[in-house]
PDB file of all heavy atoms in Angstrom:
ATOM      1  N   GLY R 167       9.989  35.464  35.620  1.00 98.00           N
ATOM      2  CA  GLY R 167      10.161  34.173  34.933  1.00 98.00           C
ATOM      3  C   GLY R 167      10.398  33.039  35.925  1.00 98.00           C
ATOM      4  O   GLY R 167       9.820  31.947  35.794  1.00 98.00           O
ATOM      5  N   ALA R 168      11.213  33.321  36.938  1.00 98.00           N
ATOM      6  CA  ALA R 168      11.495  32.282  37.945  1.00 98.00           C
ATOM      7  C   ALA R 168      10.227  31.917  38.713  1.00 98.00           C
ATOM      8  O   ALA R 168       9.937  30.744  38.950  1.00 98.00           O
ATOM      9  CB  ALA R 168      12.571  32.779  38.907  1.00 98.00           C
ATOM     10  N   SER R 169       9.458  32.938  39.078  1.00 98.00           N
ATOM     11  CA  SER R 169       8.240  32.665  39.864  1.00 98.00           C
ATOM     12  C   SER R 169       7.234  31.860  39.047  1.00 98.00           C
ATOM     13  O   SER R 169       6.602  30.937  39.563  1.00 98.00           O
ATOM     14  CB  SER R 169       7.606  33.976  40.357  1.00 98.00           C
ATOM     15  OG  SER R 169       7.048  34.718  39.280  1.00 98.00           O
ATOM     16  N   LYS R 170       7.095  32.187  37.772  1.00 98.00           N
ATOM     17  CA  LYS R 170       6.095  31.499  36.951  1.00 98.00           C
ATOM     18  C   LYS R 170       6.584  30.086  36.562  1.00 98.00           C
ATOM     19  O   LYS R 170       5.773  29.166  36.438  1.00 98.00           O
ATOM     20  CB  LYS R 170       5.746  32.330  35.717  1.00 98.00           C
ATOM     21  CG  LYS R 170       5.052  33.653  36.061  1.00 98.00           C
ATOM     22  CD  LYS R 170       3.739  33.426  36.786  1.00 98.00           C
ATOM     23  CE  LYS R 170       2.940  34.699  36.978  1.00 98.00           C
ATOM     24  NZ  LYS R 170       1.635  34.467  37.623  1.00 98.00           N
ATOM     25  N   GLY R 171       7.893  29.925  36.382  1.00 98.00           N
ATOM     26  CA  GLY R 171       8.435  28.579  36.180  1.00 98.00           C
ATOM     27  C   GLY R 171       8.150  27.726  37.411  1.00 98.00           C
ATOM     28  O   GLY R 171       7.800  26.543  37.311  1.00 98.00           O
ATOM     29  N   GLY R 172       8.268  28.353  38.579  1.00 98.00           N
ATOM     30  CA  GLY R 172       7.973  27.651  39.828  1.00 98.00           C
ATOM     31  C   GLY R 172       6.509  27.242  39.919  1.00 98.00           C
ATOM     32  O   GLY R 172       6.181  26.155  40.404  1.00 98.00           O
ATOM     33  N   VAL R 173       5.620  28.112  39.438  1.00 98.00           N
ATOM     34  CA  VAL R 173       4.180  27.794  39.459  1.00 98.00           C
ATOM     35  C   VAL R 173       3.909  26.559  38.594  1.00 98.00           C
ATOM     36  O   VAL R 173       3.088  25.704  38.946  1.00 98.00           O
ATOM     37  CB  VAL R 173       3.338  29.005  38.980  1.00 98.00           C
ATOM     38  CG1 VAL R 173       1.891  28.601  38.695  1.00 98.00           C
ATOM     39  CG2 VAL R 173       3.382  30.123  40.017  1.00 98.00           C
ATOM     40  N   ILE R 174       4.627  26.441  37.479  1.00 98.00           N
ATOM     41  CA  ILE R 174       4.437  25.269  36.604  1.00 98.00           C
ATOM     42  C   ILE R 174       4.875  23.989  37.348  1.00 98.00           C
ATOM     43  O   ILE R 174       4.162  22.989  37.378  1.00 98.00           O
ATOM     44  CB  ILE R 174       5.202  25.449  35.271  1.00 98.00           C
ATOM     45  CG1 ILE R 174       4.607  26.629  34.492  1.00 98.00           C
ATOM     46  CG2 ILE R 174       5.147  24.160  34.425  1.00 98.00           C
ATOM     47  CD1 ILE R 174       5.439  27.103  33.302  1.00 98.00           C
ATOM     48  N   GLY R 175       6.043  24.050  37.991  1.00 98.00           N
ATOM     49  CA  GLY R 175       6.529  22.877  38.747  1.00 98.00           C
ATOM     50  C   GLY R 175       5.590  22.524  39.898  1.00 98.00           C
ATOM     51  O   GLY R 175       5.312  21.343  40.149  1.00 98.00           O
ATOM     52  N   LEU R 176       5.090  23.546  40.577  1.00 98.00           N
ATOM     53  CA  LEU R 176       4.141  23.323  41.683  1.00 98.00           C
ATOM     54  C   LEU R 176       2.880  22.626  41.159  1.00 98.00           C
ATOM     55  O   LEU R 176       2.395  21.654  41.763  1.00 98.00           O
ATOM     56  CB  LEU R 176       3.794  24.682  42.318  1.00 98.00           C
ATOM     57  CG  LEU R 176       2.580  24.732  43.243  1.00 98.00           C
ATOM     58  CD1 LEU R 176       2.781  23.837  44.462  1.00 98.00           C
ATOM     59  CD2 LEU R 176       2.330  26.179  43.702  1.00 98.00           C
ATOM     60  N   THR R 177       2.364  23.111  40.041  1.00 99.00           N
ATOM     61  CA  THR R 177       1.127  22.549  39.469  1.00 99.00           C
ATOM     62  C   THR R 177       1.320  21.085  39.097  1.00 99.00           C
ATOM     63  O   THR R 177       0.485  20.229  39.405  1.00 99.00           O
ATOM     64  CB  THR R 177       0.726  23.360  38.215  1.00 99.00           C
ATOM     65  OG1 THR R 177       0.585  24.727  38.588  1.00 99.00           O
ATOM     66  CG2 THR R 177      -0.554  22.841  37.596  1.00 99.00           C
ATOM     67  N   ARG R 178       2.421  20.792  38.424  1.00 98.00           N
ATOM     68  CA  ARG R 178       2.655  19.414  37.975  1.00 98.00           C
ATOM     69  C   ARG R 178       2.808  18.471  39.180  1.00 98.00           C
ATOM     70  O   ARG R 178       2.302  17.350  39.174  1.00 98.00           O
ATOM     71  CB  ARG R 178       3.920  19.352  37.122  1.00 98.00           C
ATOM     72  CG  ARG R 178       3.807  20.157  35.821  1.00 98.00           C
ATOM     73  CD  ARG R 178       4.228  19.309  34.635  1.00 98.00           C
ATOM     74  NE  ARG R 178       4.296  20.064  33.395  1.00 98.00           N
ATOM     75  CZ  ARG R 178       3.325  20.093  32.485  1.00 98.00           C
ATOM     76  NH1 ARG R 178       2.194  19.442  32.702  1.00 98.00           N
ATOM     77  NH2 ARG R 178       3.469  20.766  31.368  1.00 98.00           N
ATOM     78  N   SER R 179       3.501  18.944  40.223  1.00 98.00           N
ATOM     79  CA  SER R 179       3.742  18.082  41.387  1.00 98.00           C
ATOM     80  C   SER R 179       2.489  17.919  42.234  1.00 98.00           C
ATOM     81  O   SER R 179       2.097  16.797  42.569  1.00 98.00           O
ATOM     82  CB  SER R 179       4.864  18.680  42.252  1.00 98.00           C
ATOM     83  OG  SER R 179       6.036  18.784  41.478  1.00 98.00           O
ATOM     84  N   LEU R 180       1.839  19.029  42.568  1.00 98.00           N
ATOM     85  CA  LEU R 180       0.645  18.935  43.409  1.00 98.00           C
ATOM     86  C   LEU R 180      -0.469  18.194  42.667  1.00 98.00           C
ATOM     87  O   LEU R 180      -1.223  17.423  43.276  1.00 98.00           O
ATOM     88  CB  LEU R 180       0.182  20.342  43.824  1.00 98.00           C
ATOM     89  CG  LEU R 180      -0.894  20.395  44.895  1.00 98.00           C
ATOM     90  CD1 LEU R 180      -0.418  19.787  46.211  1.00 98.00           C
ATOM     91  CD2 LEU R 180      -1.347  21.847  45.143  1.00 98.00           C
ATOM     92  N   GLY R 181      -0.554  18.397  41.350  1.00 98.00           N
ATOM     93  CA  GLY R 181      -1.566  17.688  40.556  1.00 98.00           C
ATOM     94  C   GLY R 181      -1.358  16.184  40.618  1.00 98.00           C
ATOM     95  O   GLY R 181      -2.310  15.419  40.786  1.00 98.00           O
ATOM     96  N   ARG R 182      -0.113  15.750  40.488  1.00 98.00           N
ATOM     97  CA  ARG R 182       0.163  14.297  40.562  1.00 98.00           C
ATOM     98  C   ARG R 182      -0.244  13.749  41.921  1.00 98.00           C
ATOM     99  O   ARG R 182      -0.797  12.666  42.026  1.00 98.00           O
ATOM    100  CB  ARG R 182       1.665  14.039  40.344  1.00 98.00           C
ATOM    101  CG  ARG R 182       2.098  14.277  38.918  1.00 98.00           C
ATOM    102  CD  ARG R 182       3.553  13.926  38.745  1.00 98.00           C
ATOM    103  NE  ARG R 182       3.712  12.489  38.723  1.00 98.00           N
ATOM    104  CZ  ARG R 182       4.396  11.823  37.794  1.00 98.00           C
ATOM    105  NH1 ARG R 182       4.979  12.467  36.820  1.00 98.00           N
ATOM    106  NH2 ARG R 182       4.506  10.524  37.840  1.00 98.00           N
ATOM    107  N   GLU R 183       0.066  14.532  42.969  1.00 98.00           N
ATOM    108  CA  GLU R 183      -0.276  14.079  44.321  1.00 98.00           C
ATOM    109  C   GLU R 183      -1.789  14.054  44.542  1.00 98.00           C
ATOM    110  O   GLU R 183      -2.340  13.087  45.076  1.00 98.00           O
ATOM    111  CB  GLU R 183       0.388  15.019  45.339  1.00 98.00           C
ATOM    112  CG  GLU R 183       0.074  14.678  46.773  1.00 98.00           C
ATOM    113  CD  GLU R 183       0.636  15.713  47.758  1.00 98.00           C
ATOM    114  OE1 GLU R 183       1.628  16.403  47.437  1.00 98.00           O
ATOM    115  OE2 GLU R 183       0.052  15.828  48.848  1.00 98.00           O
ATOM    116  N   MET R 184      -2.474  15.101  44.121  1.00 98.00           N
ATOM    117  CA  MET R 184      -3.898  15.249  44.452  1.00 98.00           C
ATOM    118  C   MET R 184      -4.810  14.434  43.550  1.00 98.00           C
ATOM    119  O   MET R 184      -5.997  14.256  43.862  1.00 98.00           O
ATOM    120  CB  MET R 184      -4.296  16.738  44.388  1.00 98.00           C
ATOM    121  CG  MET R 184      -3.601  17.616  45.401  1.00 98.00           C
ATOM    122  SD  MET R 184      -3.748  17.036  47.110  1.00 98.00           S
ATOM    123  CE  MET R 184      -5.481  17.279  47.390  1.00 98.00           C
ATOM    124  N   ALA R 185      -4.289  13.915  42.435  1.00 98.00           N
ATOM    125  CA  ALA R 185      -5.114  13.088  41.542  1.00 98.00           C
ATOM    126  C   ALA R 185      -5.734  11.922  42.307  1.00 98.00           C
ATOM    127  O   ALA R 185      -6.873  11.535  42.069  1.00 98.00           O
ATOM    128  CB  ALA R 185      -4.263  12.562  40.386  1.00 98.00           C
ATOM    129  N   PHE R 186      -4.979  11.379  43.244  1.00 98.00           N
ATOM    130  CA  PHE R 186      -5.440  10.246  44.054  1.00 98.00           C
ATOM    131  C   PHE R 186      -6.723  10.588  44.824  1.00 98.00           C
ATOM    132  O   PHE R 186      -7.523   9.719  45.139  1.00 98.00           O
ATOM    133  CB  PHE R 186      -4.318   9.861  45.026  1.00 98.00           C
ATOM    134  CG  PHE R 186      -4.620   8.639  45.837  1.00 98.00           C
ATOM    135  CD1 PHE R 186      -4.600   7.380  45.252  1.00 98.00           C
ATOM    136  CD2 PHE R 186      -4.942   8.743  47.188  1.00 98.00           C
ATOM    137  CE1 PHE R 186      -4.901   6.251  46.002  1.00 98.00           C
ATOM    138  CE2 PHE R 186      -5.241   7.623  47.947  1.00 98.00           C
ATOM    139  CZ  PHE R 186      -5.217   6.363  47.344  1.00 98.00           C
TER     140      PHE R 186
END
Side-chain angles (χ1 to χ4, degrees):
S169 70
K170 295 299 188 177
V173 167
I174 295 168
L176 165 63
T177 303
R178 296 230 187 262
S179 301
L180 190 62
R182 289 184 75 130
E183 178 186 335
M184 296 307 292
F186 185 73

